[in-house]
Amino acid sequence: MSETMMLDGRAVPYGKTIRDLVKGRDVVAAKIGGTAVDLSTELTGTETVETIKGDSKEGLNIIRHSCAHIMAEAVKALFPDARPTIGPSTEDGFYYDFDRDTPFSVEDLAKIESKMAELVKADQPFIRKVLLKKDAIDFFKENGEPYKVEILNDITDPEVSTYEQGSFVDLCRGPHVPSTGYVKAFKLLSVAGAYWRGDEKNKMLQRIYGTAFASKDALKDYLNFIEEAKKRDHRRLGRELELFMISDDIGPGMVVFMPKGGILRSILEEFEKRLHLKNGYDIVYGPSLLRGKLWEISGHMDNYKENMYFSEVDSQLYGIKPMNCLSHIQIYKSKVRSYRDLPLRYFELGSVIRHEKSGVLHGLLRVRQFTQDDAHIFCRPDQIVEEVTSVINLVDKVMAIFGFEYEVEVSTRPDKSIGSDEDWKLATEALIESLDKKGLPYDINEGDGAFYGPKIDIKIKDAIGRKWQCATIQCDFALPQKFDIHYIGADGGKHRPVMLHRVVFGSMERFIGVLIEHYAGAFPVWIAPVQAVVMNITDSQADYAGEVVAKLRDADIRVEFDDRNEKIGFKIREARLAQVPFMLVIGDKEKSENIVMIRDRSGQQNPSTVDEFIKMVKNANPLA
RNA sequence: GCCAGCGUAGCUCAGUGGUAGAGCAGCUGAUUCGUAAUCAGCAGGUCAAGGGUUCAACCCCCUUCGCUGGCUCCA
């Protein structure tokens, strides 16, 4: 056996800790055979060792997790009545949940932060200890930490590890940075309530959010990013650009599209109609109010009642639709279907109303009344994979048009659900097969499916990285059975079709909300509510400018005429603030040469004829 | 729904136990001026709503509504 082993590709001797072998404090932990370990690990084997730097994704997680421990130490020192529960790292920071009767205040954050700074300065080592589970239980019981005891009771391993720094000991798998001084840049961000173990039946704990970075500059960059993101918040831009409003007088979660938002939505809806017709869908419309009986058959009365609105008409119970499927099923049932008819694809821009809990409402992204670009595909079991694949292709095409990157998740059977185990298995496998065929990576969300079937969720990100589910494809074996729909097969027998529920935008509201943030209000020309503002320099060009406006309007260009008695600089400023893609400036020169000066959002200017400009705008439509 | 914070003019925000201010926007007038703000004047508020404490409440207390950040839930 040789006397050395490999560390980041260089030969190093045995018998030393990793920390002995790396210089400085850029390296925060290491990986041996793919498992992250502390730098205090002594090298004894022949494995290959790779270091983890603080500015890598893995390294950041370790720094943040260690920072969470430091925060817990600070909290326990300042508030001895706070009982620590769990404190993981997250995608862009960390949190720690405490059980405490008095919630933390914003002022408390500052105190905790300065205590943490002290602890960091003290550069206390993180000390890992491995002990028997029963000894750990005794220790945390004695220490008055019932939550740690509860976690330990769920652990099956006989041995567990703890990490100790200063006066604080936490049950933890690790790894951690070698000492508190490794945490060079951190900030506490907010306090919030959170249920113990994420279950609303449990006690609400006090959560403190924070973040940490490998350097002060990186932290500063992140805080700047948050500030910049706030500027593109769709609620702010929605008001500034006069796209939509949510009025107190009307009610929470109810969106009013104002003229600018109205035209934007209308353009997107026309786009969707054409897209679906091109892809073999039929356009249908269903009513908002459907008999209560129908919702009983569908299972909504048992599974979704608390989210629905009801109305009694002529002593008959009616439910306002929270989804569009039932009308589409009635269309399917309107005549005998042959296997040759399938697949049938019914598309509806369907407005639904759901009683969402008040605390979840969020601008356009979470509302109570919304319009889905919904479709239901009725197909034979042997057509599922092909149909799902074609929906995925459609989604992919649309996301590319708008420049969205997306993440895919497959959600499996939840506790509260209907249908047989075999159906769920078949449907879930079909969804996964389609994704595999397309070569799309995906995560599995166990138990996150709809109550009637498994689903593929496609999530796109808003300005500050929050992910929103927009497109989704849901496989449903339950409703065809409940409504007893069938088709006549080649064998002359009755067979049960499969139903796919799917949306591409998700809802007009949410998609527009994400679009606003994605483009920061500067919409591409084909969807911009106003595509051009014509502006004259003085009154002497008003007549010619008016002719240009008329010509553009006649060519279906969305144009506004700024003929106010204002300076050209002021007109341009206003058009820029309104994020109008093109400004058509008309002075004496343009008038005499029968042209316009086109200024785009970047400030570039080019002279053009009106006809050329019209052609350019028309060509910007992706379905043109 | 739960935890915390917040609610002053159309918007962004000051303000104090003694009956409200600024900037921008708006309106009026002047200005006709070639690429991100012309000047002047005017007007604008049951201080979210309801109740209470007080000689007196926008301010203190309670309730309701709404918003914000989270949690749970979701297109």
Side-chain angles (χ1 to χ4, degrees), chain A residues 257-294:
Chain A
F257 284 89
M258 303 198 288
K260 296 269 168 41
I263 189 69
L264 172 62
R265 175 170 166 172
S266 157
I267 293 157
L268 293 169
E269 289 185 351
E270 284 309 311
F271 166 79
E272 286 252 60
K273 285 182 193 168
R274 288 183 59 192
L275 185 74
H276 283 89
L277 288 173
K278 276 175 194 272
N279 282 274
Y281 288 77
D282 299 314
I283 293 179
V284 300
Y285 292 94
S288 287
L289 217 49
L290 293 85
R291 269 189 213 287
K293 177 85 182 157
L294 223 47

Side-chain angles (χ1 to χ4, degrees), chain A residues 512-526:
Chain A
I512 289 172
V514 181
L515 272 185
I516 293 169
E517 303 202 349
H518 181 61
Y519 292 120
F523 299 110
V525 65
W526 74 281

Side-chain angles (χ1 to χ4, degrees), chain A residues 232 234 364-365 399 402 404-405 459-463 466-470 505 507-521 523:
Chain A
R232 51 166 75 197
H234 75 280
L364 288 181
L365 300 182
M399 293 304 140
F402 291 98
F404 281 119
E405 296 193 0
K459 301 197 172 183
I460 54 185
K461 282 185 187 177
D462 71 9
R466 279 185 292 215
K467 286 175 208 143
W468 292 94
Q469 180 180 316
C470 289
F505 284 176
S507 74
M508 299 313 296
E509 288 77 4
R510 177 173 290 178
F511 197 72
I512 289 172
V514 181
L515 272 185
I516 293 169
E517 303 202 349
H518 181 61
Y519 292 120
F523 299 110

Side-chain angles (χ1 to χ4, degrees), chain A residues 26 41 51 118 306 324 327 343 411 426 476 548 551 599 619:
Chain A
D26 292 341
T41 305
T51 57
E118 275 174 41
E306 61 272 28
N324 305 299
S327 297
S411 298
L426 190 63
D476 188 349
V548 170
K551 199 167 174 186
R599 187 190 206 275
N619 285 339

Side-chain angles (χ1 to χ4, degrees), chain A residues 388-504:
Chain A
V388 170
T389 303
S390 91
V391 174
I392 290 170
N393 286 335
L394 189 64
V395 170
D396 190 66
K397 181 181 171 184
V398 170
M399 293 304 140
I401 286 172
F402 291 98
F404 281 119
E405 296 193 0
Y406 58 90
E407 290 175 12
V408 181
E409 292 171 10
V410 177
S411 298
T412 60
R413 180 164 200 170
D415 294 336
K416 199 178 171 184
S417 57
I418 49 183
S420 71
D421 284 344
E422 305 91 79
D423 284 349
W424 274 85
K425 188 163 176 285
L426 190 63
T428 309
E429 283 171 359
L431 294 180
I432 286 174
E433 188 185 337
S434 304
L435 287 171
D436 285 341
K437 271 191 174 170
K438 176 81 180 163
L440 278 174
Y442 53 88
D443 287 328
I444 303 276
N445 271 345
E446 293 294 348
D448 218 21
F451 70 84
Y452 46 79
K455 57 179 181 172
I456 293 174
D457 287 335
I458 284 135
K459 301 197 172 183
I460 54 185
K461 282 185 187 177
D462 71 9
I464 56 173
R466 279 185 292 215
K467 286 175 208 143
W468 292 94
Q469 180 180 316
C470 289
T472 173
I473 307 167
Q474 309 183 344
C475 205
D476 188 349
F477 284 86
L479 282 178
Q481 197 182 338
K482 282 169 180 295
F483 283 94
D484 192 27
I485 58 175
H486 51 259
Y487 62 90
I488 308 300
D491 58 1
K494 284 185 177 181
H495 299 269
R496 190 78 72 206
V498 176
M499 204 176 157
L500 300 174
H501 310 247
R502 44 104 291 171
V503 287
V504 178

Side-chain angles (χ1 to χ4, degrees), chain A residues 29 86 114 136 190 200 217 246 377 382 384 455 465 543 550:
Chain A
I86 53 161
S114 47
S190 60
E200 66 180 329
D217 284 346
I246 293 172
I377 300 172
D382 65 277
I384 299 177
K455 57 179 181 172
D543 49 351

Side-chain angles (χ1 to χ4, degrees), chain A residues 5 36 52 66 107 109 127 133 145 213 265 269 274 283 296 328 346 365 372 398 449 492 503 509:
Chain A
M5 56 183 292
I52 298 173
S66 297
E107 292 74 47
L109 284 191
I127 300 159
K133 180 179 140 182
E145 296 193 21
F213 283 85
R265 175 170 166 172
E269 289 185 351
R274 288 183 59 192
I283 293 179
E296 270 168 32
H328 300 187
Y346 297 139
L365 300 182
Q372 297 179 302
V398 170
V503 287
E509 288 77 4

